Amino acid sequence: MNDDRNGQGFTRRRVLQIGTAAAAVAAAAPALGGEAAAQAAPGPTPGPGGGFARPGAAVRPRFRWWWPDGLVDPAEIRREIDQIAAAGFGGAEIVAVHHSIRDKSVLDPEGHGWGTPAWNAGVEAALDQAARRGVTVDLTIGPAWPAAVPTITPDDEAAVQELAYGTATVAGGATHDGPVPEPVAAPEAAVTKRQLVAVHAVRIDTANATRKETGLAPASFTDLTAKAAGERITWTAPAGGDWLLFAYWRRGSGQRPESGPHSAPDSCVVDHFSRAGTRAVTAFWEARLLTRDIRRLIRRAGATLFEDSIELETDALNWTPDLPAEFKRRRGYDLMPYLPVVVRYKENTKFAYDAATTSHVRHDFWLTISDLFNEYHFAAIAKWAHSLGLEYRAQPYGLETDAIYTAAILDVPEGESLGFKNLDDYRALAGGRDMGGRTILSCEAGAYQGGAYNTTWNKLLRTMGGAYAAGLNQTVLHGFSYATAPGAAWPGFAAFTPYNGGIGFAESWGPRQPTWRHAPDVAGYLSRIHQAMQAGKSRIDVAVFRQKGYTKTGIGAGWFTKSGVPLGWTHQLISAPLLDLPSATVSGGRLAPGGPAYQVMFIEGDRFAGNECTLPLGTARTMLKLTQAGLPLVFLGDWSAATVPGLARDGENEQLRDVLKQVFAQPRVRVVALEDDVPGALADLGLRPTVAYAQASTLLTAHRQDGGTDYYYLCNGKHAETVKPPVAAIDHDVTFTRSDRKAVPYRLDLWTGETERIAVYREDGDTITLRVALQPSEATVIVLARGGQAPSATASDAELRVDRQRLIARATAPGGYSTTLPDGRTVETVIGAVPEAQTLTSWRLQVEDMTPDGVRRHDLKLDALTAWPDIPELADVSGIGTYTTTVNWAGDGGAVLDLGEVFDTCRVTVNGHRLPVSVIVPAVDVGPYLRRGANTIEVGVATTLNNRLRVSDPAVYGGAARQKYGLIGPVRLVPYGEAVVSTR
């Protein structure tokens, strides 16, 4: 029976599971522990934060809210806050973005720019209305990105800086007599000042050349800075080979925030590596943005201060005036002799010493940049934001800096679905978040290139499903555009479309979208994932050590990414500074027992430096202490000649190797040569994943523990959007570890908030094993918690549910069904006659057709379901379709309504009872609402605006393909029968 397929490829087992999950409220509600219990409010489905049926605003998804600078009407701002709140979202992040407007003068930067009184009036209205509606508002640190203010010029030391180099070739024995070399990278037009930092000479050495870099001899380095008076120099190269004469110029990079001007004068990006740059930001806010009313309203409705991705773009090298002194203080040696191998042109290094020196010096350079970034920018901004009553949320990547550690500094680190290449990019930020004692990992979600007015909720949920398993637990949707702006065509202003004349990025969600009618269902679904994945503390199996804390790289964790995850292992990436945090203690053999509680630390070679086996000496000593306290360590590779990752001081590498010998001698340490040896090492250490499957699976999991309650998020997903072949349906046993041996399993319906006691499972000590069946991209949450007494089974041919202290068997075919009880007895349950499944083909379709001239209406009768473009009257229609049919019902059981193919969102109404339907698996149990005789079934389907815009604005959208809108089906009513299982 279990392999018998119906309609859209669901097994009968799968249809039944849809039914039991949707129809049954928990017979005995789970007893939630710890933080969840303290926060729970009365309601039908208790849970952390006030119940899963009605999640609070704090866990609801948010919008990136795009304004055309301050050219906004406070009354419209209030309306849009109302729209966001009414649709079930938790708030919005205000940001000045208007890439779609080519003529920026129409926005009036002087009168209505960022930071003007008009801008502040809009912000006040947003905060005030948010307070009234019980939602919150995030404030962006500057206009667009990166952080910038209009009170500095590119020549100011507080402005973003670069180091540009120039070279001249001097033959051995020849003399250079003239100006020092000019920079190869031309300055931006607004940059008028520069400072000569140094002049050096180095002999060319082809032995050190690489495919893209000129080789240099480090021993030949000569400092000529003192000879370069008046930016001229006379110098004779020693005989024997050609030399390069270097000059280095410090200047502003002249970078402006994206798609400006947003202010008058135009804002300038600040130096992110100095106190001066941070002071420029905070001083402008204190003087121009933080009015008395805004300060007051922030305390009532402000959530976070947000900073978008750190895109400090330069054709030269990122720099700051005090960098040479800071480098020497932090790294213990002079940077200047190594500048030739550090400088860049158009993001590429051009010169190299020997490979080891070059790699290690570059490591030290970017480590210093990272230190300055974290100390003078992120930590300083966080402290200032807290003084206002805001948390600090940021995307801390874009440069070769330790974003993992930054995630421990930020209140809310954030990633992005557009730029992140796979799930390990999220796991890097999640490691910092958890070791730093934070709760939230946010995501800028759904910024699809060319996605304007054609992005579906289905696509968004499929994109994000796996990310929640990698630690994500807050979604900021990209985005919600303000209603209008000068020159904006129907359906209104959209921040990113048109984009260079064509279809732009992402969606402009909101009332202009037909699917907005169903947005509360999607918002509720996302809220419940967030709520479960913010409960208590994250629990992770493995801490994977990274020598460089980069993210947005797509570089994974070797065996654990490729083979461990498909077997149930979970991991995060951590970097050296995290091991110096107060959380980095060991208890019960686990690292950070009050946080992620890692079972083991895995250390491999530097994946960003040819897998070289490197460790900071201090980190190796810390690892020794951690394993002496009981933490298992697994090393991969040949560590016999390990080195420190930066330029070694006298004896440092020898000390490192001595410490590692001590580490390797510890009883809880294993060293393996190959990735294939990792599972053997884990088994030898007696370790097993918290969640396990008998065979490799596409199931992805995340675990939160709240006191004695465990929340397991499950998604049938993939590591990256580009992974092939596509994910298939799964149906297999999964073993979960429980914190409380008296806990029993519940399934949370993410679309309704109902928690259902799972009837079939096996217990073995601290584990519970149950069957999990999920369609591609489908997700659910399993809760292990104490509950009231209820019967259960260990196996059954039928689907079982718990109802008022009874086990109910359900099946789609009549006959006898065997159930095995926990005491080993097998009982037979007979299910009587079950009607045949019906395919529903005759429908009345009423369409609300959204056009630039208003809503048109179409009323059609259909004898067969097909996509709207195949119906002449609806070929270019976008809007909302209501399909109505009548079904005669004579059965004694119930039925699942399987909708087949639907584009995009839908709701089902049965005899006046409205039911939300999963965007991923469009099937719903309608049994409780059917009655004998005639039954009216309505299916409301909402579309994108793509098909209408193709014809209403062909200059921009004419190249888009028609989308297959509507209820396409086949739609089947699949009856089931039920009977009580005898457990006595």
Side-chain angles (χ1 to χ4, degrees):
M1 181 184 75
N2 294 339
D3 291 329
D4 188 14
R5 297 276 169 179
N6 74 80
Q8 289 300 296
F10 298 131
T11 62
R12 285 185 177 176
R13 172 187 292 277
R14 180 63 191 124
V15 170
L16 292 168
Q17 287 176 331
I18 291 168
T20 57
V25 179
L32 305 175
E35 298 169 18
Q39 297 176 18
T45 53
F52 285 109
R54 298 180 297 275
V59 299
R60 290 187 172 273
R62 311 177 67 76
F63 280 110
R64 190 151 291 181
W65 189 11
W66 298 307
W67 291 11
D69 295 336
L71 199 65
V72 295
D73 177 1
E76 174 59 28
I77 290 297
R78 291 181 182 274
R79 279 192 292 272
E80 293 184 9
I81 285 287
D82 286 344
Q83 292 161 359
I84 289 168
F89 293 84
E93 161 209 313
I94 301 170
V95 56
V97 173
H98 40 66
H99 287 65
S100 60
I101 299 176
R102 308 313 299 171
D103 180 6
K104 306 300 183 184
S105 65
V106 301
L107 297 172
D108 181 22
E110 185 170 0
H112 292 85
W114 179 75
T116 61
W119 172 271
N120 289 342
V123 172
E124 288 179 12
L127 286 164
D128 183 65
Q129 195 66 13
R132 295 170 187 267
R133 293 303 304 262
V135 296
T136 56
V137 168
D138 302 322
L139 304 175
T140 306
I141 197 170
W145 66 93
V149 292
T151 46
I152 59 174
T153 72
D155 290 329
D156 290 339
E157 287 205 352
V160 62
Q161 303 280 301
E162 65 184 13
L163 188 74
Y165 76 89
T167 63
T169 303
V170 183
T175 299
H176 176 96
D177 185 6
V180 299
E182 285 292 313
V184 295
E188 289 294 316
V191 176
T192 63
K193 297 180 181 178
R194 64 182 187 177
Q195 178 183 333
L196 183 64
V197 173
V199 179
H200 300 154
V202 192
R203 182 172 54 81
I204 295 174
D205 184 351
T206 56
N208 289 331
T210 69
R211 188 167 59 90
K212 295 183 178 180
E213 297 170 321
T214 300
L216 303 175
S220 70
F221 172 84
T222 305
D223 187 353
L224 302 174
T225 308
K227 297 179 177 293
E231 300 182 356
R232 295 180 61 86
I233 190 169
T234 300
W235 176 71
T236 300
D242 292 337
W243 290 68
L244 285 180
L245 185 65
F246 286 85
Y248 312 93
W249 305 88
R250 178 175 67 82
R251 65 193 185 200
S253 73
Q255 187 176 357
R256 305 288 186 176
E258 278 285 309
S259 190
H262 298 278
S263 57
D266 196 3
S267 294
C268 181
V269 175
V270 301
D271 183 355
H272 285 56
F273 314 127
S274 72
R275 294 183 177 91
T278 297
R279 282 196 298 267
V281 171
T282 58
F284 182 81
W285 274 75
E286 296 284 354
R288 298 272 292 276
L289 293 171
L290 294 173
T291 67
R292 182 182 63 181
D293 286 342
I294 287 177
R295 286 179 184 271
R296 173 180 55 83
L297 289 166
I298 282 173
R299 298 285 179 179
R300 295 179 58 203
T304 69
L305 179 70
F306 174 66
E307 184 167 8
D308 212 325
S309 49
I310 313 301
E311 299 172 15
L312 299 179
E313 298 168 349
T314 171
D315 283 343
L317 179 70
N318 299 105
W319 198 255
T320 190
D322 291 337
L323 184 53
E326 291 279 8
F327 185 95
K328 189 167 187 177
R329 181 169 69 87
R330 296 167 187 267
R331 308 282 84 86
Y333 65 94
D334 188 2
L335 173 63
M336 289 300 150
Y338 304 97
L339 271 185
V341 301
V342 173
V343 292
R344 292 183 171 187
Y345 178 56
K346 294 185 176 180
E347 300 185 357
N348 294 310
T349 53
K350 295 295 184 180
F351 309 97
Y353 291 153
D354 61 276
T357 299
T358 301
S359 173
H360 290 214
V361 167
R362 288 173 183 169
H363 173 93
D364 282 345
F365 175 83
W366 288 105
L367 179 59
T368 303
I369 290 287
S370 186
D371 289 347
L372 301 178
F373 205 3
N374 285 326
E375 182 177 340
Y376 296 149
H377 186 78
F378 288 119
I381 293 288
K383 181 178 180 181
W384 174 74
H386 297 164
S387 73
L388 304 176
L390 295 169
E391 291 192 322
Y392 185 22
R393 174 168 60 92
Q395 297 177 354
Y397 45 84
L399 297 174
E400 294 167 38
T401 57
D402 190 348
I404 295 176
Y405 179 48
T406 308
I409 296 171
L410 298 168
D411 299 298
V412 182
E414 181 168 288
E416 57 181 286
S417 64
L418 174 67
F420 278 20
K421 297 175 176 61
N422 55 40
L423 299 186
D424 279 319
D425 285 341
Y426 294 104
R427 293 182 181 116
L429 296 180
R433 174 201 63 184
D434 288 346
M435 288 295 289
R438 314 301 184 185
T439 299
I440 308 299
L441 174 57
S442 183
C443 182
E444 173 190 344
Y448 303 107
Q449 187 171 6
Y453 297 114
N454 61 56
T455 295
T456 64
W457 286 109
N458 182 291
K459 180 176 182 177
L460 178 79
L461 297 189
R462 289 180 185 275
T463 297
M464 303 311 298
Y468 298 117
L472 175 67
N473 56 8
Q474 175 176 279
T475 308
V476 182
L477 295 170
H478 191 288
F480 189 109
S481 291
Y482 180 77
T484 189
W490 182 83
F493 166 68
F496 290 98
T497 192
Y499 192 82
N500 294 329
I503 302 174
F505 281 86
E507 268 302 358
S508 287
W509 302 106
R512 70 185 69 179
Q513 296 283 356
T515 57
W516 192 249
R517 185 170 297 184
H518 301 154
D521 299 343
V522 179
Y525 171 85
L526 293 173
S527 300
R528 294 178 188 107
I529 294 176
H530 297 165
Q531 184 167 322
M533 291 297 96
Q534 291 178 25
K537 301 293 184 180
S538 177
R539 291 292 189 259
I540 303 294
D541 293 327
V542 184
V544 177
F545 180 83
R546 272 282 156 86
Q547 290 86 345
K548 296 177 175 66
Y550 307 159
T551 193
K552 200 180 175 184
T553 66
I555 296 178
W559 182 85
F560 285 100
T561 295
K562 292 182 295 185
S563 304
V565 169
L567 295 174
W569 289 96
T570 59
H571 67 274
Q572 290 175 344
L573 307 175
I574 66 171
S575 60
L578 299 190
L579 297 180
D580 295 326
L581 294 175
S583 62
T585 61
V586 175
S587 178
R590 290 181 175 264
L591 174 63
Y598 304 114
Q599 296 188 58
V600 59
M601 189 190 304
F602 176 70
I603 306 98
E604 58 185 343
D606 187 346
R607 286 186 167 262
F608 300 97
N611 290 318
E612 183 183 7
C613 290
T614 66
L615 270 183
L617 177 57
T619 300
R621 289 170 173 157
T622 298
M623 289 179 178
L624 176 59
K625 293 178 182 177
L626 294 174
T627 193
Q628 287 173 336
L631 177 68
L633 306 178
V634 174
F635 285 78
L636 171 65
D638 180 4
W639 290 83
S640 61
T643 63
V644 295
L647 200 64
R649 304 180 191 182
D650 289 343
E652 201 169 22
N653 285 335
E654 290 73 19
Q655 294 177 61
L656 172 65
R657 292 162 195 163
D658 286 342
V659 173
L660 287 177
K661 286 181 182 178
Q662 299 176 61
V663 171
F664 299 154
Q666 301 302 311
R668 302 291 286 162
V669 177
R670 300 292 183 272
V671 183
V672 297
L674 303 172
E675 284 188 359
D676 290 346
D677 299 329
V678 171
L682 296 171
D684 191 42
L685 289 164
L687 303 176
R688 58 179 171 85
T690 305
V691 180
Y693 338 126
Q695 70 278 354
S697 172
T698 52
L699 184 62
L700 301 169
T701 71
H703 177 205
R704 305 282 300 194
Q705 181 184 337
D706 187 14
T709 301
D710 295 287
Y711 296 88
Y712 288 97
Y713 169 80
L714 312 179
C715 178
N716 181 17
K718 52 188 177 180
H719 182 56
E721 288 296 299
T722 56
V723 171
K724 295 180 181 181
V727 170
I730 60 172
D731 187 352
H732 59 72
D733 283 352
V734 178
T735 298
F736 301 88
T737 304
R738 53 185 173 178
S739 305
D740 183 342
R741 289 198 173 195
K742 294 185 178 180
V744 293
Y746 296 80
R747 180 182 292 107
L748 167 63
D749 186 329
L750 293 170
W751 290 96
T752 66
E754 295 172 344
T755 50
E756 171 206 9
R757 182 77 167 257
I758 294 174
V760 182
Y761 60 92
R762 303 189 303 275
E763 298 180 280
D764 184 6
D766 64 350
T767 68
I768 283 181
T769 300
L770 53 92
R771 193 85 173 262
V772 172
L774 295 171
Q775 291 295 308
S777 297
E778 188 182 6
T780 190
V781 170
I782 301 298
V783 184
L784 304 182
R786 290 196 182 194
Q789 293 297 316
S792 66
T794 58
S796 181
D797 293 339
E799 291 301 316
L800 302 185
R801 65 182 178 90
V802 179
D803 179 30
R804 291 175 296 180
Q805 303 302 308
R806 301 179 302 170
L807 278 182
I808 307 295
R810 175 181 290 188
T812 58
Y817 293 86
S818 296
T819 296
T820 303
L821 301 177
D823 61 8
R825 289 183 297 130
T826 298
V827 296
E828 190 87 358
T829 305
V830 176
I831 291 181
V834 179
E836 292 294 319
Q838 302 180 51
T839 300
L840 310 183
T841 56
S842 298
W843 299 83
R844 179 186 183 186
L845 171 58
Q846 296 172 295
V847 175
E848 300 171 51
D849 176 4
M850 295 186 175
T851 79
D853 300 320
V855 177
R856 301 174 186 168
R857 300 190 183 276
H858 306 269
D859 197 335
L860 300 91
K861 289 189 176 180
L862 305 177
D863 293 326
L865 293 172
T866 188
W868 289 10
D870 297 329
I871 302 173
E873 299 94 325
L874 304 181
D876 295 308
V877 167
S878 294
I880 300 164
T882 301
Y883 295 77
T884 306
T885 193
T886 300
V887 175
N888 287 314
W889 180 253
D892 293 324
V896 168
L897 185 66
D898 175 3
L899 298 179
E901 183 180 351
V902 184
F903 192 113
D904 169 39
T905 59
C906 63
R907 279 178 177 166
V908 168
T909 302
V910 180
N911 298 323
H913 298 277
R914 192 180 73 187
L915 307 173
V917 179
S918 165
V919 172
I920 302 297
V921 182
V924 62
D925 185 358
V926 297
Y929 312 103
L930 293 173
R931 59 195 179 203
R932 287 186 175 272
N935 292 263
T936 300
I937 296 178
E938 290 184 355
V939 181
V941 178
T943 76
T944 69
L945 284 178
N946 174 79
N947 291 4
R948 174 57 66 191
L949 282 167
R950 289 178 69 255
V951 294
S952 68
D953 193 353
V956 177
Y957 302 96
R962 281 194 181 105
Q963 293 179 312
K964 291 177 61 178
Y965 290 167
L967 178 61
I968 301 169
V971 177
R972 303 176 72 246
L973 192 65
V974 184
Y976 55 77
E978 292 188 324
V980 176
V981 177
S982 175
T983 57
R984 295 183 179 181

